[in-house]
């Protein structure tokens, strides 16, 4: 029932945008007929899958006793991406990944797998916010001249980046005395065991500087490809004088909002959010522009059904084999 309501909300928001003339599906056809920028955009989306897979492999191998199969991990990540499209929110795909990742190496406990999936998500988000801060600082004068209200998003970028960075250092690095931290958490959170348990489980993951640096840089590259992909898709439909860096300045908050587990793959919610974000840059039809990325990204993620069918068949054969 809950999932049905989320789908209903997503389509209701899209219908409302369409009826108000803010969602123009003809841009999809125009994109296909306006050159080959969309081909490069799709290529970047596929490249992002490989980069994200390398990042996840590095994190898993910090705790696994054996080398993680790149191809098997890629298939499992693709399956997770597939379910993030058909289920509400990108976190739904992480739940699916959890069950598959446990088959990668017997030395990986359920707690370890869950913590690494969370860490992978955190590092990816840190890279997204890091790019946002760099661009906002570099383009500060231009952004303020365009719309002073965008200062709110700059502050949000900085606060979220700082908060997430501190959280990662405290929970996953070797810089903090774990015994004292566990003792304090147990004392202050004893009444909330559902919160205390996962936090203590995460503290079992220790990440040294080298793997963290590599995964962070991969996250920055991954998010940069995402930004370029969006730019390639919307470039034919925005004013020529619009700065690409101004576009990049709103993307971190927009992508975080679209990823919230409210509707499947941000359908509807992302459209409404980007409609308002693009208006702040004095660009009309923001929902239609986001829709171009939404369709391209959805098509790429839906290819995860292919490994899903193969893996499902393989697991079924194993169960039937005496």
């Amino acid at each position: 029932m809950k999932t049905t309501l989320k789908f209903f909300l997503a389509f209701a928001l899209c219908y409302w945008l369409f009826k108000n003339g803010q969602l123009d599906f003809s841009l999809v056809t125009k994109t296909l007929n306006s050159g080959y920028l969309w081909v490069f955009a799709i290529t970047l989306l596929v490249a992002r899958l490989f980069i994200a897979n390398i990042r996840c492999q590095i994190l898993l191998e910090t705790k696994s006793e054996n080398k993680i199969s790149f191809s098997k991990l890629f298939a499992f990540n693709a399956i997770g991406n597939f379910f993030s499209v058909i289920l509400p929110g990108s976190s739904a795909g992480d739940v699916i990944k959890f069950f598959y990742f446990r088959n990668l190496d017997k030395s990986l406990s359920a707690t370890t797998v869950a913590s690494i999936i969370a860490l992978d998500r955190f590092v990816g988000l840190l890279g997204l916010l890091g790019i946002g801060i760099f661009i906002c600082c570099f383009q500060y004068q231009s952004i303020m001249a365009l719309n002073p209200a965008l200062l709110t998003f700059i502050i949000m970028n900085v606060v979220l980046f700082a908060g997430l960075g501190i959280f990662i250092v405290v929970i996953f690095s070797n810089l903090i005395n774990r015994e004292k931290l566990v003792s304090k958490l147990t004392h202050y959170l004893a009444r909330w065991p559902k919160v205390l348990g996962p936090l203590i489980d995460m503290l079992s993951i220790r990440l040294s500087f080298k793997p963290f640096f590599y995964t962070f840089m991969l996250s920055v590259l991954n998010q940069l490809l995402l930004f370029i992909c969006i730019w390639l898709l919307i470039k034919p439909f925005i004013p020529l004088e619009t700065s690409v860096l101004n576009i990049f300045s709103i993307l971190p908050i927009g992508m975080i909002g679209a990823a919230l587990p409210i509707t499947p793959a941000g359908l509807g919610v992302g459209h409404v959010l980007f409609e308002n974000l693009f208006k702040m840059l004095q660009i009309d039809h923001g929902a239609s522009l986001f829709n171009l990325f939404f369709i391209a990204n959805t098509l790429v993620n839906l290819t995860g059904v292919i490994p899903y069918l193969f893996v499902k068949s393989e697991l079924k054969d194993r169960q039937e084999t005496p």
Side-chain angles (χ1 to χ4, degrees), residues 181-207:
L181 183 58
V182 169
S183 177
K184 290 183 178 180
L185 287 174
T186 303
H187 175 73
Y188 290 110
L189 300 177
R191 296 182 180 180
W192 296 280
K194 291 184 178 180
V195 176
L196 177 63
L199 281 176
I200 292 179
D201 288 342
M202 284 187 178
L203 286 170
S204 66
I205 305 294
R206 297 196 179 199
L207 191 64

Side-chain angles (χ1 to χ4, degrees), residues 251-281:
L251 292 183
I253 298 300
M255 297 310 299
I256 291 172
L260 293 175
I262 300 174
T263 58
L267 178 64
V269 172
H271 290 77
V272 172
L273 181 58
F274 274 95
E275 176 70 23
N276 290 282
L277 287 174
F278 276 110
K279 279 184 179 178
M280 299 185 76
L281 296 178

Side-chain angles (χ1 to χ4, degrees), residues 243-254:
S243 168
V244 60
L245 294 181
N246 285 349
I247 296 289
F248 285 5
S249 69
I250 65 170
L251 292 183
I253 298 300

